Amino acid sequence: MNEKKPSLLLVDGMALLFRAYFATAMSGQFMINSKGMPTNGVYGFVKHFLTAVSSFNPTHVAVCWDMGSKTFRTEMFDAYKANRPEAPIELVPQFDLVKEVVEAFDVPNIGLEGYEADDCIGTIARKASEEAEVLILTGDQDILQLLDDNISVILLQKGYGNYLVHTTETFYEEKGITPKQMIDLKAFMGDTSDNYPGVKGIGEKTALKLLQQFEHIEGVLENLEQLTKGQRAKIEQDLEMLHLSRQLAEIKCDVPVECPLDLAQFTMNREKVIEKFTEIEFRGLHRFLDFKKEYA
């Protein structure tokens, strides 16, 4: 990484919070404080957050959030993410609490109703990559479509401090397509997690072959006669869903949000953070604050 250039860490807040919550909730460890507030998700979020900041040493940091379940995608397709259960009751009060903790770090919380955190991340990443190296921290592989010369993706792995870092080069080595082609890949194969079908009967292996051969959906449609009879029939039958799935899969990078770099500079006030930890009754997190002695 070019040390002269600033580096912006964009955090997918929901990905970290949900991962942290379920890692402990399965065994009933909700960490309820004296005010009756469950804090397990926020506690784990802070550990993930500080471990990443320590590992990648960004000069700037911002956290992006989903702002409710209704987005422009649910308006386009009613069933979008309709398979997902309601948030657990012990997690609901932690949505606001985690943002308070992020504020205590003087880190911007960013989100916009009608859009997903991914759309905010995509918009800010594209803009910021003109002047900074951008690192996106998430557990969601959908965000790999944003990979660019100045945008890398840090995928959370099991535990704390375990990451798979993707660049355009590593993505191509793994998939044999470019990051942008991932949108069309998902359009063909669908996404069970987000609950849209793509083209029934076309899986990842076939979709990758089609994109490697014909580049994009338009290229495939222009060369249907070269496909097997089965592939052609499946695509023709689900043509409308193919185009809709592509719209659902694409991260919007023109959302009306902004994050000027000077507002995201990471200059942690240790005392302010410790005061928040004390208020919430967090114990054992102070040691994670010692990676930047100059902030103490």
Side-chain angles (χ1 to χ4, degrees):
M1 190 181 288
N2 184 344
E3 288 184 2
K4 291 176 185 172
K5 234 182 181 183
S7 56
L8 171 64
L9 179 68
L10 287 174
V11 179
D12 180 346
M14 286 301 187
L16 268 65
L17 183 66
F18 271 82
R19 179 177 287 256
Y21 173 84
F22 284 110
T24 49
M26 298 302 283
S27 53
Q29 297 169 4
F30 296 117
M31 294 178 62
I32 297 177
N33 67 16
S34 66
K35 301 178 187 81
M37 170 76 80
T39 59
N40 62 316
V42 182
Y43 188 94
F45 171 94
V46 172
K47 276 178 70 176
H48 276 304
F49 176 81
L50 290 175
T51 303
V53 169
S54 175
S55 300
F56 297 96
N57 197 25
T59 57
H60 298 72
V61 183
V63 182
C64 293
W65 301 97
D66 294 334
M67 304 293 283
S69 58
K70 297 293 179 193
T71 68
F72 74 94
R73 291 183 181 86
T74 52
E75 287 175 17
M76 287 166 57
F77 184 54
D78 281 349
Y80 182 74
K81 291 191 177 179
N83 56 335
R84 298 198 181 183
E86 291 287 316
I89 194 165
E90 295 87 359
L91 180 57
V92 173
Q94 299 188 59
F95 290 143
D96 287 335
L97 184 63
V98 72
K99 289 172 188 161
E100 289 177 25
V101 172
V102 170
E103 281 175 18
F105 282 97
D106 293 320
V107 166
N109 284 306
I110 297 165
L112 186 64
E113 281 191 25
Y115 298 95
E116 295 179 43
D118 284 2
D119 302 310
C120 297
I121 288 170
T123 300
I124 294 164
R126 285 274 182 265
K127 177 73 175 162
S129 66
E130 296 167 11
E131 52 182 326
E133 296 286 346
V134 178
L135 303 162
I136 300 171
L137 178 66
T138 184
D140 185 356
Q141 297 210 20
D142 291 354
I143 216 112
L144 293 170
Q145 64 182 263
L146 297 175
L147 286 166
D148 208 340
D149 289 346
N150 290 326
I151 301 175
S152 304
V153 173
I154 306 161
L155 289 175
L156 293 161
Q157 305 295 289
K158 195 170 183 181
Y160 291 93
N162 298 317
Y163 309 107
L164 178 61
V165 181
H166 263 304
T167 62
T168 49
E169 291 80 14
T170 61
F171 181 83
Y172 187 82
E173 283 168 23
E174 184 179 307
K175 298 286 190 188
I177 58 173
T178 65
K180 194 175 178 189
Q181 285 176 290
M182 186 180 173
I183 301 165
D184 286 8
L185 174 67
K186 289 189 53 134
F188 276 115
M189 59 184 278
D191 187 321
T192 52
S193 166
D194 287 343
N195 204 42
Y196 58 87
V199 176
K200 287 189 185 73
I202 301 274
E204 182 174 19
K205 196 174 172 185
T206 302
L208 282 171
K209 277 185 184 171
L210 291 174
L211 292 172
Q212 285 160 3
Q213 188 174 357
F214 301 112
E215 197 174 337
H216 40 57
I217 286 172
E218 286 74 22
V220 174
L221 296 179
E222 285 164 13
N223 292 279
L224 283 175
E225 72 284 349
Q226 293 188 45
L227 274 53
T228 66
K229 195 182 285 186
Q231 288 169 350
R232 181 174 178 171
K234 287 168 188 169
I235 290 170
E236 286 178 338
Q237 188 176 332
D238 271 340
L239 200 54
E240 197 177 324
M241 184 50 74
L242 173 64
H243 289 302
L244 177 59
S245 294
R246 175 158 64 175
Q247 287 180 278
L248 295 171
E250 184 171 12
I251 292 172
K252 279 186 77 68
C253 294
D254 57 356
V255 174
V257 294
E258 56 180 30
C259 181
L261 271 186
D262 58 335
L263 296 182
Q265 189 157 3
F266 190 66
T267 52
M268 182 179 72
N269 180 328
R270 197 172 188 276
E271 293 311 310
K272 185 177 175 181
V273 172
I274 288 174
E275 196 177 307
K276 193 66 184 176
F277 285 178
T278 305
E279 178 196 322
I280 302 169
E281 300 171 24
F282 278 169
R283 295 177 186 85
L285 285 181
H286 295 46
R287 61 195 168 92
F288 287 91
L289 300 175
D290 293 333
F291 57 88
K292 281 274 189 184
K293 296 295 183 187
E294 65 267 30
Y295 294 154

